[in-house]
Amino acid sequence: MSKVHTVSTTASDPTVAAAAAQFLSPVVLGLEALTVNGKQAHWHVRGANFIGVHELLDTIVAHAGDFADTAAERIVALGLPIDARLSTVAAKAGTSAVPAGFTQSDELVRAVISDIDAILVDVKAAIDGLDEVDLTSQDVAIEIMRGLEKDRWFLVSHIAA
């Protein structure tokens, strides 16, 4: 008769898991909001730069979703849940700079940059807060910052003189 072994879902220290969730949860929620608001911008962009901005926004939305998934899965891998339901995302994200209707590309680009800047505040807080707590979770935040800063640069390049 074989013996059944139960394996814990995580070998993590509960303090580490709690810290990772504390710092990464706002990042997940901000990125989920960027996914929705970026798609809103994608659908409503107008102007001479339509094709370039329209396609770039699709890429940024895809990246935001991937980054959110990475951060959320880190929290879950440490044994804690993440609440990224629409109502939770809306409560955290507040008001987006992205307008509701058709908008010229330059204005939409500035709005998405503003939304990214708000997320970067939370990402930087995660990097700083996780520095002496959990380097693996910090690495997740660093990778998200690298990607968001690159996406931000691409957007800024569309409106730079």
Side-chain angles (χ1 to χ4, degrees):
M1 181 175 230
S2 68
K3 190 174 182 180
V4 175
H5 296 281
T6 303
V7 178
S8 172
T9 57
T10 181
S12 177
D13 177 327
T15 304
V16 170
Q22 172 191 346
F23 288 110
L24 292 178
S25 291
V27 173
V28 172
L29 299 179
L31 289 165
E32 287 294 314
L34 179 61
T35 300
V36 172
N37 295 323
K39 205 56 159 170
Q40 175 72 19
H42 164 85
W43 292 324
H44 291 90
V45 65
R46 294 291 186 263
N49 291 328
F50 169 77
I51 292 292
V53 173
H54 180 78
E55 291 175 355
L56 179 56
L57 288 169
D58 246 357
T59 299
I60 289 169
V61 164
H63 290 167
D66 289 345
F67 297 151
D69 190 54
T70 299
E73 286 180 351
R74 177 65 185 157
I75 294 167
V76 174
L78 292 171
L80 294 176
I82 175 79
D83 182 1
R85 294 172 296 162
L86 187 56
S87 59
T88 307
V89 171
K92 159 50 176 119
T95 303
S96 169
V98 174
F102 298 114
T103 308
Q104 289 298 304
S105 63
D106 286 3
E107 184 181 338
L108 268 180
V109 165
R110 284 183 183 88
V112 174
I113 290 169
S114 177
D115 284 3
I116 289 173
D117 287 347
I119 299 164
L120 285 170
V121 170
D122 288 336
V123 175
K124 178 71 170 124
I127 292 168
D128 293 344
L130 292 166
D131 185 45
E132 294 187 22
V133 179
D134 181 28
L135 295 179
T136 304
S137 295
Q138 183 192 46
D139 188 53
V140 167
I142 290 168
E143 182 63 16
I144 290 168
M145 177 168 265
R146 184 205 57 78
L148 280 177
E149 286 178 342
K150 182 178 179 182
D151 286 344
R152 186 185 189 283
W153 164 53
F154 277 34
L155 285 167
V156 168
S157 295
H158 269 277
I159 57 173

